[in-house]
Amino acid sequence: MFDDSRLDDAEVLSAADQRLRFLAEAGARVRAEVQLSAESIESLAEQGMPRAVVAAGKGARLLRAVLESACPVPFVAWPGPGLPGWTGPLDTVVVLAQATGDAGAATAVAEARRRGSTLILTSIRGSQIEELAAGPHSTVLTTQSDDSLAGAVVLLQAMARLRLGPAVDGEEVALALDGVASRCSPFVDSATNPAKLLALSLADGTPLLWGGSALAARAARRIAEAIRRETGRPAFAADVDHLLPVLERTPPKDVFADPFESGDSSVRASVLVVDDGSDDASVIAERVRLVEEAERCDVPVESVSETQGSELARYASALGLGTYLAAYLGIALSDA
């Protein structure tokens, strides 16, 4: 059962200090990685435009969300193993390869080397992928952590240097994460802490997450992953068309039900909208459609709203808040 008293219990929060501290240090990790890679990025030689850019590995979808609309050449995200069959010497392959055990990234790096493609990747110093990447057409941006967001900032700055993507301000992203850490700190009580308030709101249901823009949708999927990992409960992120059937089949709420006796409160849905301030008419229309259907089905709707700053800063803020939410859900549901 969800025990809300644990969210403000100093002893309980102290026991969870390691994972909460990791979240609080997200901004510092971005600064550290940007500083470490600054010289390597500055030394990147400008070159002719490639025929296409292929983003490979587990971080491919995040890179696509930022780069696809701004890249001056065709851009393909390839999160699976290997590379598209047409990839060759005229193409640039970018890999966000910090995560250990990313077999897709390893095979993509090996294929890029074999085919003579220009290769740009992030990698922890001394990793197997760094060894695989070594070659005359490879640029390895060495990192000191496996934080995928910090690595993405570094890789996106390298792409901007090569005129293959928009400018990315690493300090703005770091400040956005610092702001989330301040607002969602375990020392901020449940009355004013946005992550704890969301945890309280979503405690009795199965979260259905939706984000309208490409980055908001990516944040929704990452938050759902964090909730599943922290709680062992189901959480789903999908497009509106895939969420509506779930809402339509949500059983009516029984106001007389005793959750301590029935034990089935988690079968009801709760909607969490990830709002990054997109003013796209289609995004707004989809959000209205989702919220109206949720209200018709008597399903509660909550939102993570981060609307200030650049697209990447808003993504970082939404993801940071959602990750804190997942951590507090796990803490309140834990028996430890």
Side-chain angles (χ1 to χ4, degrees):
M1 296 300 297
F2 185 89
D3 183 356
D4 59 359
S5 68
R6 295 175 63 84
L7 297 180
D8 292 319
D9 186 314
E11 185 176 343
V12 170
L13 293 172
S14 177
D17 178 73
Q18 186 173 358
R19 57 177 153 167
L20 293 173
R21 187 181 297 273
F22 179 82
L23 299 182
E25 293 172 348
R29 286 194 296 274
V30 169
R31 288 190 184 87
E33 301 294 15
V34 167
Q35 183 177 6
L36 179 66
S37 63
E39 188 174 340
S40 296
I41 292 174
E42 189 63 28
S43 66
L44 284 173
E46 291 197 21
Q47 49 194 282
M49 285 290 161
R51 176 180 61 177
V53 173
V54 180
K58 291 181 179 178
R61 292 188 177 93
L62 172 57
L63 298 176
R64 176 177 63 188
V66 178
L67 293 172
E68 191 170 38
S69 63
C71 188
V73 299
F75 184 96
V76 175
W78 193 266
L83 293 171
W86 48 262
T87 310
L90 300 178
D91 306 306
T92 293
V93 176
V94 294
V95 183
L96 184 59
Q98 289 150 287
T100 56
D102 188 347
T107 58
V109 167
E111 279 295 294
R113 284 286 321 282
R114 185 178 70 82
R115 301 185 195 187
S117 304
T118 298
L119 178 63
I120 304 172
L121 73 154
T122 58
S123 174
I124 296 176
R125 187 183 302 279
S127 68
Q128 180 186 15
I129 288 181
E130 184 181 43
E131 296 176 4
L132 283 173
H137 304 297
S138 302
T139 300
V140 179
L141 302 171
T142 303
T143 60
Q144 52 193 355
S145 78
D146 61 357
D147 187 318
S148 60
L149 178 56
V153 171
V154 168
L155 196 49
L156 290 168
Q157 288 186 331
M159 298 299 284
R161 170 71 177 173
L162 296 173
R163 296 179 292 116
L164 293 172
V168 171
D169 186 340
E171 180 60 21
E172 182 192 20
V173 174
L175 285 172
L177 290 168
D178 289 346
V180 171
S182 177
R183 289 182 284 133
C184 299
S185 165
F187 303 109
V188 178
D189 65 34
S190 297
T192 55
N193 186 316
K196 290 181 181 180
L197 286 169
L198 283 171
L200 291 168
S201 298
L202 299 176
D204 293 331
T206 297
L208 305 177
L209 293 91
W210 173 82
S213 71
L215 278 171
R218 185 63 192 152
R221 283 168 169 77
R222 292 289 308 280
I223 295 169
E225 290 170 7
I227 292 173
R228 293 193 296 268
R229 183 173 60 248
E230 291 284 353
T231 68
R233 285 184 169 187
F236 307 100
D239 298 334
V240 170
D241 286 338
H242 295 143
L243 294 179
L244 291 185
V246 181
L247 293 177
E248 292 167 359
R249 288 164 177 77
T250 299
K253 184 175 182 180
D254 182 356
V255 296
F256 299 105
D258 184 344
F260 292 94
E261 293 183 358
S262 64
D264 63 354
S265 62
S266 63
V267 301
R268 283 191 54 79
S270 297
V271 171
L272 181 62
V273 173
V274 179
D275 175 19
D276 65 351
S278 173
D279 59 0
D280 184 279
S282 63
V283 170
I284 295 171
E286 287 289 271
R287 175 174 179 169
V288 169
R289 185 171 162 227
L290 176 63
V291 171
E292 287 181 347
E293 182 62 19
E295 291 175 347
R296 188 186 70 80
C297 298
D298 194 25
V299 171
V301 178
E302 299 292 342
S303 66
V304 171
S305 294
E306 299 293 341
T307 59
Q308 301 299 314
S310 66
E311 286 186 341
L312 191 60
R314 299 197 301 270
Y315 167 82
S317 295
L319 178 58
L321 199 161
T323 309
Y324 266 104
L325 153 66
Y328 287 131
L329 276 172
I331 288 168
L333 288 165
S334 176
D335 293 329

